[in-house]
Amino acid sequence: MLPLINRPFLKWAGGKRLLTPKISQSLPDGNRLIEPFVGAGSVFLNCHFPKYILSDINQDLINIYQILQKDAGNFVDLASQYFTADHNKESQYYLLREHFNQLPMGSERAAIFLYLNRHGFNGLCRYNQAGGYNVPYGKYLKPYFPEKEMHFFAKRASNAVFYCQDFVQVMKKAKKDTVIYCDPPYVPLNKTAYFTQYAQAVFGVKQQQKLAQLALSLREKGISTVISNHDNEVTRALYKEAEIESFYVQRTISCEGSTRNKVKELLAVYRGK
């Protein structure tokens, strides 16, 4: 029988929901799990540690998590008001998206963030250079309102602390009994792309190298780190000091199911000494 996999309440490109059994098996035992790139939280929702530190540089993500953690009942009621037939229209979507981009962090912005996430195209989360959310309308017949999933997340979050910080800051919070799981932006599959346009990416060559170096230095302090990424020549060189577990996964970012190909991924395991 396949294990029950708890679903995150957000749609998220690159989410690890279907890989959580494999990832969980690779995580060493510890008293606390740190996730510097928490995303939709699939690993957090499907592994078992006494405590969690969960972080992401996306402020909207951490904002909605903190609000849900503090007051799930009222927030679920607020968010549900946007999941009606009247709101599932292209004109209304763009009005709410424009309103969202003017709002400060808080409950209203969090509720509309959930609405945009579920009504926008293909589960994307994207901002322009000015910081404005710019994912287009998704044209779904009846977007799902994840009430059950939000309450489950809130229950699990009672043992979590959330941060909106850079991965280096978050990983430095680790102590001897801590395990770290990292799901950073992946390196391109094509080696040429890695050394050209990717070098200028927000999370580019230098950040990937820094992450690997930090995992190696923490291993010497007895702290274990597990990193997900594509399996290719570049990542094999990046993680040459780690134990490598390799496997194929089905890509789900394409909007056409027939074009979703299997690609090779890896888990780089830096086991604390």
Side-chain angles (χ1 to χ4, degrees), residues 2-129:
L2 293 174
L4 175 66
I5 300 176
N6 299 305
R7 290 177 175 269
F9 67 89
L10 292 170
K11 297 166 67 177
W12 209 254
K16 291 296 182 288
R17 184 175 66 86
L18 297 180
L19 289 179
T20 52
K22 181 178 289 291
I23 294 169
S24 296
Q25 290 173 5
S26 299
L27 294 175
D29 293 333
N31 189 52
R32 187 190 305 266
L33 177 70
I34 292 181
E35 286 199 63
F37 309 89
V38 67
S42 290
V43 173
F44 155 65
L45 293 170
N46 288 282
C47 64
H48 302 283
F49 288 81
K51 299 177 183 178
Y52 302 87
I53 291 178
L54 307 174
S55 181
D56 204 281
I57 59 169
N58 185 317
Q59 285 185 288
D60 284 308
L61 201 59
I62 300 305
N63 179 51
I64 195 171
Y65 290 165
Q66 290 176 330
I67 289 170
L68 192 57
Q69 181 188 46
K70 293 174 184 175
D71 192 4
N74 284 329
F75 179 71
V76 169
D77 288 344
L78 174 64
S80 69
Q81 298 173 25
Y82 294 96
F83 284 73
T84 65
D86 287 341
H87 284 97
N88 190 25
K89 297 175 181 177
E90 187 169 3
S91 59
Q92 186 66 10
Y93 176 87
Y94 287 113
L95 283 173
L96 282 170
R97 193 182 75 173
E98 183 179 359
H99 180 56
F100 170 85
N101 284 329
Q102 306 304 316
L103 287 170
M105 292 296 162
S107 296
E108 185 182 7
R109 184 177 173 102
I112 299 178
F113 180 68
L114 177 63
Y115 162 85
L116 295 171
N117 174 263
R118 284 280 168 178
H119 291 73
F121 178 73
N122 211 27
L124 296 177
C125 183
R126 190 183 66 194
Y127 302 81
N128 59 30
Q129 290 186 341

Side-chain angles (χ1 to χ4, degrees), residues 27-30 32-34 49 177-181 223-226:
L27 294 175
D29 293 333
R32 187 190 305 266
L33 177 70
I34 292 181
F49 288 81
D177 60 350
T178 299
V179 177
I180 303 172
Y181 171 66
I223 297 166
S224 297
T225 301
V226 178

Side-chain angles (χ1 to χ4, degrees), residues 225-258:
T225 301
V226 178
I227 306 174
S228 289
N229 217 315
H230 284 138
D231 185 356
N232 58 25
E233 185 179 345
V234 171
T235 55
R236 288 280 176 160
L238 272 173
Y239 309 135
K240 62 184 178 181
E241 302 292 340
E243 302 169 22
I244 300 295
E245 300 177 23
S246 182
F247 46 91
Y248 283 95
V249 299
Q250 190 82 32
R251 276 282 165 261
T252 57
I253 186 59
S254 171
C255 60
E256 295 293 335
S258 61

